[in-house]
Amino acid sequence: EAQVTQNPRYLITVTGKKLTVTCSQNMNHEYMSWYRQDPGLGLRQIYYSMNVEVTDKGDVPEGYKVSRKEKRNFPLILESPSPNQTSLYFCASSPPRTGTGDQPQHFGDGTRLSIL
Amino acid sequence: AQSVAQPEDQVNVAEGNPLTVKCTYSVSGNPYLFWYVQYPNRGLQFLLKYITGDNLVKGSYGFEAEFNKSQTSFHLKKPSALVSDSALYFCAVRDNRGSTLGRLYFGRGTQLTVWP
């Protein structure tokens, strides 16, 4: 089954304790992205990756890091989490554009982080 | 800059009635437009997209959307709403230029509630 898998689904932690949220896709997609979802703000992009070893900042990258060493994995790292990073996080992937068409993004089920 | 606006935070409709969820966009060049739906505790699911061609696009679960270039709108519609359509709906536009190729910009979301 084609899917994007995020782990953990839920996490409560404390300020300053480094954490990593993993994201893995089994569709051989080149493009991967991380979003955070906050009430009234919709989804905001944190980082994205066009392919292996190619990453770039989205709209709200501060306080986050990513890496893309393999095509299937795109972990999100919070080196020193703070309460304002409490949010619902989504990973997504898609193939690149092909011709005049465009492909939708496939989303994971989300990771709810609470930073105390 | 690319942007999407969903002017209604909430839409309420009775089961069996037609529904419309509004979306307007701002983009340089030709827009690639998407609608996604989010059910509780799940990631976003793709509903439909407009790339080119007919202005009326049909998608999953009986939904359709009408692209109107002059009004820069892409409203989501369904002729007869179901209680099971109750969910959070996101409109998104894709960036097709230069260094930010492939990025999706989301609206803030519209909560649709269908009353039995």
Side-chain angles (χ1 to χ4, degrees), chain A residues 1 6 15 25 38 47 57 59 65 69 82 88 99:
Chain A
E1 180 187 354
Q6 297 179 225
T15 299
Q25 50 93 4
D38 301 288
Y47 271 94
K57 297 178 180 178
D59 297 316
K65 287 175 59 178
K69 298 178 182 177
S82 62
L88 179 58

Side-chain angles (χ1 to χ4, degrees), chain A residues 9-10 31 35 37 40-43 45 48 50 58-59 90 94 97 100-105 107-109, chain B residues 32 34 36 38 41-44 46 49 51-52 88 90 94 96 99-109:
Chain A
R9 292 290 314 278
Y10 304 90
Y31 183 91
Y35 299 88
Q37 182 179 8
L41 297 178
L43 273 77
Q45 191 173 50
Y48 64 100
M50 300 295 285
D59 297 316
F90 288 101
S94 70
R97 291 178 58 201
T100 58
D102 209 340
Q103 301 302 315
Q105 292 190 7
F107 284 78
D109 283 337
Chain B
Y32 285 14
F34 300 82
Y36 287 82
Q38 184 183 24
N41 299 315
R42 299 299 304 275
L44 278 69
F46 168 73
K49 65 181 179 183
I51 304 300
T52 186
L88 186 58
F90 289 97
R94 188 154 185 169
N96 299 304
S99 63
T100 56
L101 180 71
R103 286 189 59 182
L104 265 183
Y105 295 85
F106 285 87
R108 295 185 176 186

